[in-house]
Amino acid sequence: MLAPYACQPDQSRGRLFQERMSSFRSPFQRDRDRIIHSSAFRRLKHKTQVFVEHEGDYYRTRLTHSIEVAQVARTISGVLGLNTDLAEAIALAHDLGHTPFGHTGEDALGLLMEPYGGFDHNAQALRIVTRLERHYADFDGLNLTWESLEGIAKHNGPVIGPNADAKHAGPLPYALAEVNAMWDLELSTHASAEAQVAAIADDVAYSHHDLHDGLRSGLFSEDDLMELPVTGPAFDEVDRLYPGLDRMRRRHEALRRVFGRMVEDVIAVAQNRLTAAQPKSVDEIRHMGTTVIRFSKPLYQELKAIRSFLFHRMYRAPSVMAERAKVTRVVNDLFPLFIARPELLPDEWRADVQAATDEVTLARIVADYVAGMTDRFAIQEHARLFGGTDAGL
C-alpha cells in the first residue's frame, strides 16, 4: 500500500511516445527494466568509481555503485511507503552519463566542451535515455516515464528558480535544455520523494563503500578511522562485542554499522518531516520548497568530517592524483583528435557526423562518443591511435 505522497503508477504522466501498457509490469517497473537492459548501463561495469577499472577487481565500479544505490533506495522507499520501483529506476540511471575515469574524466571533458556548451554527467544521462540508446523501432532513447526523467534531472534538487543550488547558476546544460524543451520537467520544483531517496541513497552508498575501498587500497587504516566521528564509535562497538575479531571481519562489522546508522537516520528524519507536513500528494512534495529526505543535522556534520578525510586521504592521495593525470591525458588527446578527424569514429556514428552542420553539433557528437567509452576502451583506443601500449597506465 503506497502512501498518498508516493508516485502512483496509475497516475503517471506517461511517456513522450505513447505505448500500450504492459499487462504484467507497472510503468515504473518497465522503466527500471529498460535501464538495466540498456547499453549504457552495461558499460558502467568498466567505468571508474574512484580507482581506474584496471587497478583491481575488488574496487567498486560505476555499475556496482549503482546497484548498491538502488538497494539502499529500495530499502528506504519501502519503509516510507514510496514507490520502490521508481526509486530503483532513478537510482540505477543516475550515473549513466558518467565518462570513463569517473569525475576525473568528467572534469577533463567539461573543460574541452566549454566552448560548445559544457558537459554535465546528470544532463548526459538524460541525453542517453532520450536520444543515444537506439534499439527501439518507434523511438530513440528508452522512452521513460515523465517521473523517471524528472528524477534523473533533479534528484539533487531544483535546477532553476529560487530553490536551486548556486552551483546551477548560469545557462542550463544543453543536454538538459534539449530534453526540457521536448517535455517540461518543472525544473524549478523539487523532485518526487522517490527521486530524493535515490539522491540520498547515492550519498549513503559512496560514503560507505569509499571507506571500504580506501582501506583495501592501503591509503588509510582502521586506526585512522577510529579517530573520526561515526566510524570511531562503530569500531569501538565491534571491539566491545567481539574482542579479538580478525581484521577483515572487524572492518566489515564496523562499516556495516556506519551504513546502518546512515540509513536509520534518513528514515527517522523523513518520517518526522512527513508526519509534520502531512503531504496529500506527490505534487505537495514537489512544492514544499525543501527536501523531505535528508540526514539529520548532527549526522550531516559528522559525515562532512568523513568526506573531508576521504577527500584528502583518498580522492587527492598522491597515487590517485598520479593516475588522474594519466587518464586526463587520454581524454585530452582523444577529444581533439576526433574533432579534427571525425572519420575515425565507428561506422554507427557516421550518419550523425554527416548530419552535423556546425562545429558545436560535431563537438557534442564527439562528447557523446568519448563519454560513452569505458575505461579500458578509452585506454585501448588511445594506445591504438597515439602509439604505445597503455598511455603510461
Side-chain angles (χ1 to χ4, degrees):
M1 189 73 179
L2 294 179
Y5 46 78
C7 283
Q8 311 290 334
D10 60 347
Q11 296 175 22
S12 169
R13 301 191 194 185
R15 305 178 187 278
L16 190 60
F17 300 95
Q18 188 173 354
E19 298 182 58
R20 291 196 329 192
M21 290 286 291
S22 169
S23 59
F24 54 89
R25 290 179 297 171
S26 76
F28 304 142
Q29 289 172 331
R30 206 173 188 183
D31 284 358
R32 175 201 59 205
D33 296 347
R34 287 183 178 183
I35 291 162
I36 289 173
H37 288 282
S38 68
S39 299
F41 186 73
R42 289 194 299 275
R43 288 196 299 270
L44 296 179
K45 176 183 178 183
H46 297 297
K47 290 196 176 190
T48 294
Q49 181 62 29
V50 174
F51 298 98
V52 176
E53 181 268 335
H54 71 271
E55 291 185 272
D57 292 337
Y58 286 98
Y59 300 124
R60 267 69 170 192
T61 65
R62 285 287 160 190
L63 180 63
T64 58
H65 165 70
S66 296
I67 293 170
E68 292 181 31
V69 174
Q71 177 268 316
V72 177
R74 285 194 69 92
T75 297
I76 297 174
S77 295
V79 174
L80 299 178
L82 301 173
N83 192 295
T84 57
D85 297 319
L86 176 60
E88 182 181 23
I90 296 167
L92 290 171
H94 85 283
D95 269 354
L96 289 180
H98 257 295
T99 63
F101 316 126
H103 289 289
T104 302
E106 181 177 13
D107 291 345
L109 192 56
L111 288 173
L112 292 163
M113 282 293 293
E114 274 188 356
Y116 312 107
F119 180 88
D120 174 85
H121 79 268
N122 282 325
Q124 187 68 13
L126 281 172
R127 189 166 167 87
I128 287 169
V129 300
T130 59
R131 181 186 295 264
L132 299 180
E133 287 284 327
R134 295 173 180 173
H135 306 294
Y136 297 89
D138 294 323
F139 48 79
D140 287 341
L142 304 180
N143 200 30
L144 302 180
T145 60
W146 185 92
E147 291 79 8
S148 289
L149 295 178
E150 178 212 25
I152 297 170
K154 54 183 185 178
H155 60 276
N156 288 322
V159 182
I160 60 175
N163 294 315
D165 192 293
K167 68 183 179 182
H168 296 307
L172 286 177
Y174 67 87
L176 176 56
E178 285 179 350
V179 175
N180 196 59
M182 289 190 298
W183 208 2
D184 182 8
L185 298 177
E186 301 176 2
L187 298 179
S188 63
T189 69
H190 284 275
S192 65
E194 285 85 355
Q196 294 179 36
V197 165
I200 208 158
D202 185 22
D203 291 344
V204 170
Y206 83 72
S207 295
H208 172 251
H209 64 51
D210 284 1
L211 291 169
H212 261 293
D213 286 353
L215 287 171
R216 180 174 286 278
S217 70
L219 291 174
F220 48 82
S221 69
E222 289 86 351
D223 289 344
D224 294 318
L225 297 187
M226 291 188 73
E227 302 298 319
L228 295 174
V230 186
T231 55
F235 276 99
D236 286 339
E237 181 180 349
V238 172
D239 291 341
R240 185 177 68 255
L241 295 174
Y242 305 101
L245 192 64
D246 73 75
R247 182 183 181 189
M248 297 303 288
R249 291 179 191 268
R250 177 176 179 258
R251 175 188 299 177
H252 179 79
E253 285 291 337
L255 294 185
R256 69 189 284 260
R257 282 163 171 76
V258 173
F259 182 90
R261 183 176 171 198
M262 288 189 286
V263 172
E264 290 166 5
D265 181 87
V266 169
I267 290 171
V269 170
Q271 288 173 330
N272 289 337
R273 293 175 71 80
L274 290 166
T275 299
Q278 291 290 305
K280 299 298 191 295
S281 69
V282 63
D283 277 336
E284 288 191 28
I285 294 284
R286 292 186 175 109
H287 290 92
M288 283 181 64
T290 185
T291 56
V292 294
I293 311 297
R294 58 171 65 179
F295 293 114
S296 65
K297 290 182 179 179
L299 182 59
Y300 180 76
Q301 292 302 319
E302 292 177 332
L303 292 177
K304 282 179 67 175
I306 292 176
R307 289 166 184 162
S308 176
F309 172 85
L310 288 171
F311 180 85
H312 292 98
R313 295 293 297 273
M314 186 175 182
Y315 310 144
R316 292 297 182 269
S319 60
V320 174
M321 292 301 291
E323 200 71 21
R324 289 187 63 171
K326 293 175 185 177
V327 298
T328 296
R329 175 188 161 202
V330 172
V331 178
N332 285 343
D333 286 347
L334 288 175
F335 182 85
L337 175 65
F338 292 132
I339 292 288
R341 297 183 59 193
E343 71 275 8
L344 293 174
L345 270 62
D347 289 345
E348 59 264 32
W349 292 82
R350 298 288 168 79
D352 287 336
V353 170
Q354 291 171 359
T357 56
D358 53 48
E359 189 176 3
V360 170
T361 305
L362 176 60
R364 292 176 178 177
I365 293 168
V366 171
D368 290 338
Y369 179 60
V370 173
M373 291 180 169
T374 63
D375 293 7
R376 62 170 60 180
F377 182 70
I379 292 168
Q380 290 168 354
E381 282 295 274
H382 188 274
R384 181 178 71 86
L385 294 168
F386 290 91
T389 56
D390 60 3
L393 295 166

